[in-house]
Amino acid sequence: MSHWLIAGASRGIGLEAARQLAARGERVTASVRSAAGLAALKAAAPQANTLQFDVRDEAAIRAAAEQVLDPIDVLIANAGAYGPQRQTSLDMDFEGALDLLSVNTLGPLRVVQAFLPLVKRSARPRIVMMTSRLGSMSLDGTSNVAYRVSKAGLNKIAQCLAVDLKDDGVVVVVMHPGRVRTEMGGPNATLDVGDSVAGIIQVAESLTLADTRRYLDYRGEDILW
């Protein structure tokens, strides 16, 4: 039995991950931002330990980390957002884009830094930062610019973390969940959330230090940076 921390578990991928892991008897600690998210999490994974914080709020994240006493084997930094409606290179909602960077790019780093002492206490520490293929610098396209930039920035942070934590034996990867039918992915997405999450969990369980600094999809296949 492993201890999994899921940051951002009020809906979609995070909620389904908490449900699947709790259902098979893993120890789950999961965070939400709102009372509605807390109710959804308790309904889906009643065995899970719950935390409440916004990934923009460093003080709240650190206070939440102090409530967790046991080592964390797998940290999944999942909380994220799509961003403002206006986000092209020719028409940008700059305030909205800055807020998106705080959530998608710096939010996961705030979570990792706050919970890192607990991760380092694990015998097999692994950090999975949920990204998107849209963050790949090799991918063409000009839509969703703020979202793409936020995930590209997260990818770079993960690369740096992987190098900085390698001597401590901590595995750090970024993972693309696929185009999933969630509130964010929309009803026309090609992948069921249950299938995506099952893949994410399987890949996370298999990670070793040889995998650190990889950019993977939910099947464990590499994506070009």
Side-chain angles (χ1 to χ4, degrees):
M1 184 172 63
S2 299
H3 186 194
W4 298 65
L5 173 70
I6 304 168
S10 62
R11 61 182 182 177
I13 290 167
L15 182 64
E16 177 65 12
R19 187 195 68 78
Q20 287 192 22
L21 289 165
R24 72 181 206 182
E26 303 289 355
R27 294 183 59 205
V28 177
T29 299
S31 78
V32 298
R33 184 168 59 94
S34 66
L38 185 62
L41 176 59
K42 285 184 176 295
Q47 310 96 317
N49 298 316
T50 59
L51 304 171
Q52 194 165 346
F53 57 77
D54 189 313
V55 295
R56 302 175 183 88
D57 189 339
E58 181 183 358
I61 298 168
R62 292 193 177 275
E66 292 178 359
Q67 300 175 38
V68 183
L69 302 178
D70 296 324
I72 294 168
D73 300 301
V74 185
L75 187 161
I76 300 181
N78 175 69
Y82 171 77
Q85 290 299 310
R86 294 171 36 243
Q87 52 168 300
T88 73
S89 61
L90 301 178
D91 181 21
M92 179 64 68
D93 176 348
F94 289 104
E95 288 192 8
L98 284 172
D99 184 64
L100 185 64
L101 289 171
S102 185
V103 173
N104 284 3
T105 311
L106 297 180
L109 183 59
R110 293 186 189 104
V111 170
V112 169
Q113 288 187 355
F115 288 92
L116 188 57
L118 294 166
V119 173
K120 286 183 176 181
R121 286 172 49 199
S122 169
R124 279 191 64 210
R126 287 149 286 167
I127 296 173
V128 177
M129 307 180 94
M130 298 308 300
T131 187
S132 168
R133 185 169 176 265
L134 292 179
S136 171
M137 297 297 287
S138 65
L139 187 68
D140 291 332
T142 64
S143 62
N144 313 312
V145 169
Y147 183 80
R148 289 172 186 260
V149 169
S150 73
K151 293 301 188 179
L154 176 63
N155 290 353
K156 177 51 71 175
I157 283 174
Q159 286 183 337
C160 295
L161 276 172
V163 173
D164 291 337
L165 295 176
K166 188 172 184 179
D167 287 347
D168 294 310
V170 180
V171 181
V172 182
V173 301
V174 285
M175 194 178 298
H176 167 57
R179 190 174 171 220
V180 186
R181 288 190 296 276
T182 61
E183 184 175 329
M184 185 183 297
N188 296 322
T190 56
L191 185 61
D192 178 75
V193 66
D195 294 335
S196 171
V197 167
I200 290 166
I201 292 171
Q202 183 176 13
V203 174
E205 287 183 314
S206 71
L207 293 172
T208 70
L209 199 57
D211 297 305
T212 202
R213 204 178 177 273
R214 290 178 69 189
Y215 183 4
L216 302 168
D217 70 10
Y218 71 100
R219 300 164 296 187
E221 297 180 3
D222 286 285
I223 297 174
L224 290 175
W225 291 102

